[in-house]
Amino acid sequence: MSPPPAGPAAERAELFRVHVEPELEVLLRVAGTLTGSWAEAEDLTQETLIRAWRALDRFDGAHPRAWLLTILRHTNVNMHRRRRPDPVEDTAILPGARPAFGALTEPSPEEQIVLQILPDDLERAVDSLDPKFRTVLVLVDVNGLTYAEVAGLLDVPLGTVMSRLSRARQRVRAHLRAHARPEGSLR
């Protein structure tokens, strides 16, 4: 008995298995870095996967990670366009309202791990960075993305990624030196 003929759906499923599934973990980590929320990262990743599934017939098979990260970036931008908040004159009428800037958010899974592993001094040094530098540092040094992948994801030139990463690392080192404890001192 011969196997059933492979149709377009079977071919699409095979392309998805080969090109998309190996990148799921990276997509989720990067989505978490972009959104700062585990729930939003899952939503963003799911929407990215749906869009990738629909576009598989147009994908040439080269550089699946870059292709998926581009879809992720565009999806993130589109999702934020839809969620523009309605202005409220008096926030006191909203139960549990918090300010838009500096609002507390639940740490992402990556941040939870970093909080458990990294010393407090390093954590403070990374947290002290401007968001544009911190994002590049986390994407490259924590998530392991290449400079080109980060450039595509953030829609900035490769040189900008390299410059921001260099400055971020330099600022972390300077912060650690400035806040170093004398050897043998206890925390």
Side-chain angles (χ1 to χ4, degrees):
M1 184 181 266
S2 63
E11 290 174 17
R12 183 181 294 252
E14 179 63 16
L15 288 172
F16 191 86
R17 186 187 67 72
V18 169
H19 296 295
V20 177
E21 287 181 14
E23 303 298 335
L24 286 175
E25 186 178 321
V26 170
L27 286 174
L28 195 53
R29 283 195 325 253
V30 171
T33 300
L34 290 176
T35 63
S37 161
W38 180 246
E40 287 183 34
E42 287 178 331
D43 291 345
L44 176 57
T45 302
Q46 182 176 5
E47 186 64 28
T48 300
L49 294 174
I50 290 169
R51 291 175 185 211
W53 174 264
R54 290 178 185 153
L56 268 172
D57 58 334
R58 295 185 306 272
F59 177 54
D60 64 4
H63 312 291
R65 181 177 287 181
W67 177 67
L68 289 166
L69 290 174
T70 300
I71 294 172
L72 180 88
R73 177 173 49 88
H74 291 174
T75 303
N76 187 43
V77 168
N78 290 337
M79 288 175 80
H80 283 296
R81 280 187 191 140
R82 285 186 229 136
R83 282 191 268 152
R84 289 187 180 147
D86 293 329
V88 175
E89 296 298 323
D90 183 13
T91 58
I93 64 171
L94 299 174
R98 292 185 285 181
F101 296 99
L104 299 175
T105 58
E106 181 180 324
S108 68
E110 295 82 26
E111 290 170 337
Q112 291 173 0
I113 291 171
V114 168
L115 292 173
Q116 294 170 0
I117 295 174
L118 292 179
D120 292 338
D121 295 340
L122 183 55
E123 180 184 340
R124 280 191 291 275
V126 172
D127 286 344
S128 72
L129 293 173
D130 182 90
K132 66 183 180 183
F133 296 113
R134 184 174 51 244
T135 299
V136 170
L137 181 80
V138 169
L139 289 173
V140 172
D141 290 343
V142 176
N143 292 328
L145 297 183
T146 66
Y147 295 172
E149 290 169 338
V150 173
L153 180 67
L154 300 179
D155 198 24
V156 297
L158 185 63
T160 301
V161 170
M162 295 167 61
S163 173
R164 287 181 184 175
L165 181 61
S166 175
R167 289 180 182 169
R169 289 173 176 166
Q170 185 178 32
R171 290 175 184 178
V172 166
R173 284 190 295 271
H175 186 277
L176 290 173
R177 275 192 295 272
H179 297 88
R181 292 185 174 90
E183 294 219 12
S185 70
L186 297 175
R187 292 184 170 237

